[in-house]
């Protein structure tokens, strides 16, 4: 099978021992459905990237880096009516390229680096959620590259990646309308299921449905939405979206403080 | 849609006149209301080498889906179930942008969405696809071909997939076990002896595009170019939502999201009843049905 020849691999078909484990793990403990795990966020930690951010929420650890703006490849588009506020015409707007990667040891089973469909889907979700917030019209013919690396998956990985990416863009000094805050939700299977905010990995694995919302808190606009599973009727999904938006609003002050601290650190370190 | 925002057929367009009409009068450029679909042509059993196939024409959008059932080993985590594999090919005939590798991104996006909407226990009964646990199961390879692109791809593709799955006939097999314990697979002699899948809970996608302050169902290419954000909702015939996704580079107001979900559910239910009627009518005509195929 083509693939990674640099690492010494086990036999073609190797499986983790957990598949053969006899005992079931204990069910996740009951908890307040609206609790958010404590978040540690730090911006401006990578020296080589224009902007970077590290976010840790429970067991989920995400590192995000932004580089650019640099010249976009394939500039064959022509002009058009100019946008408002001195922005470039629509055909010349900048591009946002997002990349989402999982470390091979991030999940329960080892996943070889070219992760295939899932990573591309999450990268597309990142791009669709960040584009409404970034003023791409101010970067004509340029591209901004955002790459998110998931170091450990402890539940709501996409939401954490979204938040980290927005922090990294802000740290890079990219012009934005607002920060994007992400929040994950999951719905347990069973007769009277409720939506749980910010699920842990155990809760996510047993979930019947999962949802990630991305909100721009000041403008109160939903920048991204991705959900699937047996969520039930539309009222149930609407309730989940409301819960998610509320969670995003609660997370916002933490991110503001993180950016202020990063700016102070940058000031203190700047040569006179 | 890739590269089609704010330009239609290579020329930049202004979305103002469109927004004003849609906003004021619930009237679109082609005379439809905001919640009306274009005329849909569905035909099943168009390709003879497949286990099931369907062709859907929705305005200028033309989709061909073929389902092939093959035997394979079940996944390790789910030893008692078969599974579905989706592949979407954006042919270069659809639009010039799909030439070479251009259509790959869109193809992967659509395939990932299809995986997502089928990623729950109730859509397709996967246990019926199991032949012998841990050893053999049916794998349904659903291959989608985009022949012509006229806007609203996701809806047309989901209708075609549902019709193709309805049409799928999986041969009945038996596993015979010898005294020594070696297993042999026996195919039934009668070519019409097959298992059919129940497509009652197979969802259909409804894409709602936000234009101005209102949202429209089944947008044409021109309307998609004017819309900055859309909501994709996957609804089953009972009104259960299995997937939700925001598409596009704009943002949505939370209230509009709730409205769009309700519209999606309403429109989805109607879509399902009409589709079921057509499929059952085709089925009841049996061999007397006149096949139109690509000649119509």
């Amino acid at each position: 099978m083509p693939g990674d020849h640099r690492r010494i691999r086990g036999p073609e078909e190797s499986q983790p021992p957990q598949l053969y484990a006899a005992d079931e793990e204990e069910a996740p403990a009951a908890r307040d459905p609206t609790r958010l795990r404590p978040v540690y966020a730090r911006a401006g930690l990578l020296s080589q990237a224009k902007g970077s951010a590290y976010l840790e929420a429970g067991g989920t650890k995400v590192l995000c880096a932004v580089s650019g703006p640099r010249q976009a490849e394939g500039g064959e588009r022509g002009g058009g009516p100019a946008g408002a506020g001195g922005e470039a015409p629509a055909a010349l707007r900048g591009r946002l390229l997002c990349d989402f990667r999982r470390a091979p040891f991030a999940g329960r089973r080892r996943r070889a680096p070219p992760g295939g469909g899932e990573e591309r889907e999450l990268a597309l979700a990142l791009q669709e959620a960040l584009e409404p917030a970034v003023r791409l019209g101010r970067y004509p013919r340029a591209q901004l590259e955002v790459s998110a690396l998931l170091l450990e998956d402890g539940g709501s990985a996409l939401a954490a990646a979204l938040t980290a990416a927005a922090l990294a863009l802000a740290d890079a000094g990219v012009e934005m309308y607002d920060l994007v805050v992400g929040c994950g939700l999951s719905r347990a299977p069973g007769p009277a299921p409720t939506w749980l905010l910010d699920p842990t990995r155990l809760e996510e694995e047993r979930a019947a449905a999962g949802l990630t919302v991305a909100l721009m808190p000041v403008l109160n606009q939903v920048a991204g939405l991705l959900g699937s599973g047996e969520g039930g009727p539309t009222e149930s999904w609407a309730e989940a979206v409301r819960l998610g938006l509320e969670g995003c609003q609660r997370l916002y002050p933490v991110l503001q403080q993180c950016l202020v601290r990063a700016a102070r650190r940058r000031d203190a370190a700047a040569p006179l | 849609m890739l590269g089609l925002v704010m330009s239609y057929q290579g020329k930049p367009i202004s979305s103002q006149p469109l927004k004003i009409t849609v906003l004021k009068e619930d009237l679109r450029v082609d005379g439809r209301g905001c919640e009306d679909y274009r005329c849909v042509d569905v035909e099943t059993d168009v390709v003879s080498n497949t286990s099931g196939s369907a062709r859907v024409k929705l305005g200028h959008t033309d989709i061909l889906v073929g389902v092939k059932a093959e035997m394979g080993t079940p996944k390790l985590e789910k030893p008692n179930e078969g599974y579905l594999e989706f592949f979407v090919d954006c042919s270069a005939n659809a639009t010039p942008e799909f030439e070479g590798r251009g259509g790959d991104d869109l193809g992967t996006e659509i395939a990932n969405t299809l995986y997502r909407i089928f990623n729950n226990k109730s859509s397709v009964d996967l246990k019926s696809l199991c032949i012998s646990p841990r050893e053999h199961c049916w794998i349904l390879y659903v291959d989608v071909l985009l022949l012509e692109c006229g806007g609203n791809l996701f809806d047309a593709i989901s209708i075609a997939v549902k019709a193709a799955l309805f049409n799928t006939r999986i041969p009945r097999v038996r596993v015979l076990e010898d005294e020594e314990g070696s297993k042999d697979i026996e195919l039934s002699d009668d070519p019409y002896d097959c298992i059919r899948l129940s497509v009652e809970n197979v969802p259909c996608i409804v894409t709602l595009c936000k234009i101005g302050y209102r949202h429209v169902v089944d947008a044409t290419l021109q309307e998609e170019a004017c819309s900055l954000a859309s909501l994709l909702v996957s609804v089953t015939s009972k009104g259960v939502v299995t997937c939700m996704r925001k598409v596009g580079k704009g943002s949505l107001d939370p209230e509009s999201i709730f409205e769009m979900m309700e519209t999606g559910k309403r429109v989805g239910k109607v879509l399902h009843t009409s589709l079921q009627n057509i499929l059952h009518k085709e089925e009841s005509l049996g061999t007397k049905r006149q096949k139109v195929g690509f000649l119509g």
Side-chain angles (χ1 to χ4, degrees):
Chain A
M1 169 163 103
D4 198 13
H5 298 291
R6 292 168 297 183
R7 289 188 189 76
I8 299 171
R9 300 167 69 99
E12 274 298 325
E13 294 164 18
S14 55
Q15 297 105 30
Q18 282 95 348
L19 275 174
Y20 303 101
D23 300 320
E24 280 261 317
E25 281 180 23
E26 76 287 355
R31 45 87 141 186
D32 172 21
T34 58
R35 75 105 181 87
L36 275 177
R37 289 176 295 187
V39 162
Y40 170 77
R42 177 164 159 170
L45 60 159
L46 294 176
S47 57
Q48 297 301 316
K50 187 98 187 290
S52 56
Y54 173 75
L55 192 95
E56 207 178 293
T60 308
K61 302 174 171 71
V62 180
L63 182 60
C64 191
V66 168
S67 64
R70 69 182 79 182
Q71 178 150 27
E73 295 114 39
E76 62 320 287
R77 294 84 142 286
E87 294 191 356
L92 288 180
R93 286 175 95 221
R95 287 202 296 209
L96 192 66
L97 295 174
C98 293
D99 183 32
F100 181 92
R101 260 177 229 237
R102 264 178 209 271
F105 39 78
R108 216 200 265 264
R109 294 188 66 172
R110 179 184 180 269
R111 268 194 241 198
E118 202 215 344
E119 292 188 351
R120 294 258 281 275
E121 191 191 12
L122 295 180
L124 184 66
L126 261 183
Q127 188 186 342
E128 284 180 341
L130 292 171
E131 266 183 321
V134 178
R135 291 190 75 185
L136 288 168
R138 302 283 276 161
Y139 299 96
R141 289 200 204 88
Q143 69 189 27
L144 291 159
E145 282 147 17
V146 178
S147 65
L149 177 61
L150 183 70
L151 298 168
E152 188 183 329
D153 186 358
S156 0
L158 179 61
L162 272 167
T163 319
L167 279 177
L169 281 167
D171 184 52
V174 170
E175 291 196 40
M176 295 168 67
Y177 291 110
D178 194 359
L179 267 187
V180 177
V181 187
C183 216
L185 297 111
S186 77
R187 189 193 203 225
T194 40
W195 284 93
L196 299 168
L197 188 61
D198 201 14
T200 57
R201 193 197 51 174
L202 218 59
E203 287 166 350
E204 240 180 29
E205 277 172 5
R206 282 146 208 274
L211 177 68
T212 306
V213 268
L215 175 75
M216 294 197 283
V218 176
L219 299 173
N220 198 29
Q221 292 275 305
V222 174
L225 187 67
L226 183 60
S228 64
E230 294 169 54
T234 43
E235 293 78 24
S236 169
W237 287 96
E239 183 204 315
V241 172
R242 276 197 196 96
L243 191 58
L245 298 184
E246 204 188 312
C248 293
Q249 292 281 7
R250 276 156 60 192
L251 205 49
Y252 188 51
V254 177
L255 307 174
Q256 277 179 311
Q257 276 179 20
C258 159
L259 286 173
V260 166
R261 252 186 247 132
R264 284 210 188 106
R265 225 180 286 127
R266 211 178 306 131
D267 260 347
L272 297 152
Chain B
M1 283 293 295
L2 300 174
L4 282 176
V5 178
M6 288 311 176
S7 79
Y8 177 64
Q9 289 176 344
K11 293 176 282 226
I13 58 169
S14 163
S15 56
Q16 274 308 99
L18 208 73
K19 284 182 187 169
I20 292 171
T21 328
V22 171
L23 180 66
K24 276 197 178 157
E25 290 160 54
D26 190 20
L27 192 65
R28 289 149 79 175
V29 172
D30 47 10
R32 289 183 284 157
C34 285
E35 296 185 9
D36 294 335
Y37 266 89
R38 286 170 285 183
C39 186
V40 187
D41 277 323
V42 177
E43 195 181 349
T44 55
D45 205 21
V46 271
V47 181
S48 47
N49 287 332
T50 54
S51 313
S53 59
R55 178 162 178 247
V56 169
K57 265 185 87 68
L58 176 64
H60 283 296
T61 304
D62 201 345
I63 312 281
L64 179 62
V65 173
V67 179
K68 270 193 161 311
E70 296 192 358
M71 293 207 300
T73 24
K75 292 188 175 155
L76 280 171
E77 307 88 36
K78 306 215 169 120
N80 298 326
E81 297 177 355
Y83 54 96
L84 277 79
E85 289 277 352
F86 294 98
F87 175 69
V88 178
D89 184 23
C90 299
S91 136
N93 304 332
T95 65
E97 274 137 23
F98 292 162
E99 222 158 6
R101 309 290 308 268
D104 280 358
D105 279 344
L106 182 60
T108 350
E109 190 190 334
I110 301 178
N112 284 333
T113 312
L114 286 172
Y115 275 117
R116 220 167 240 280
I117 68 177
F118 279 89
N119 184 22
N120 57 13
K121 291 194 216 8
S122 49
S123 296
V124 172
D125 184 15
L126 295 172
K127 292 209 164 40
S128 63
L129 296 176
C130 176
I131 304 172
S132 56
R134 249 183 282 269
E135 285 165 29
H136 299 107
C137 71
W138 285 110
I139 307 174
L140 295 180
Y141 290 98
V142 181
D143 300 305
V144 180
L145 230 74
L146 217 68
L147 300 170
E148 204 187 336
C149 183
N152 203 18
L153 291 173
F154 286 97
D155 295 29
I157 289 177
S158 67
I159 297 174
V161 168
K162 181 166 181 171
L165 286 173
F166 177 78
N167 181 238
T168 305
R169 283 158 172 74
I170 305 172
R172 225 180 270 276
V173 289
R174 282 187 313 152
V175 181
L176 304 163
E177 203 168 319
D178 274 351
E179 296 89 30
E180 293 116 47
S182 65
K183 295 195 176 162
D184 206 15
I185 300 199
E186 190 199 27
L187 195 64
S188 150
D189 282 332
D190 180 6
Y192 292 103
D193 182 20
C194 18
I195 348 176
R196 301 283 299 273
L197 284 175
S198 156
V199 295
E200 258 181 37
N201 285 326
V202 168
C204 269
I205 299 180
V206 179
T207 311
L208 301 115
C209 291
K210 183 108 185 284
I211 299 184
Y213 292 116
R214 298 188 66 150
H215 47 271
V216 298
V217 168
D218 190 22
T220 58
L221 271 183
Q222 211 182 16
E223 288 166 340
E224 275 182 0
C226 291
S227 151
L228 283 178
S230 330
L231 188 70
L232 205 137
V233 181
S234 133
V235 198
T236 62
S237 51
K238 301 192 178 80
V240 170
V241 172
T242 63
C243 173
M244 244 187 4
R245 198 184 129 198
K246 177 224 132 201
V247 182
K249 37 178 83 177
S251 58
L252 290 169
D253 204 61
E255 286 311 317
S256 357
I257 293 189
F258 302 138
E259 274 172 26
M260 283 153 110
M261 280 201 300
E262 287 301 314
T263 312
K265 178 171 102 171
R266 207 173 37 231
V267 170
K269 277 184 162 164
V270 173
L271 181 65
H272 274 287
T273 22
S274 330
L275 185 60
Q276 296 275 37
N277 289 343
I278 297 277
L279 290 176
H280 285 297
K281 199 161 76 167
E282 259 199 346
E283 176 94 6
S284 62
L285 282 176
T287 42
K288 291 193 286 273
R289 172 165 69 103
Q290 252 193 331
K291 293 201 180 174
V292 176
F294 286 82
L295 304 172

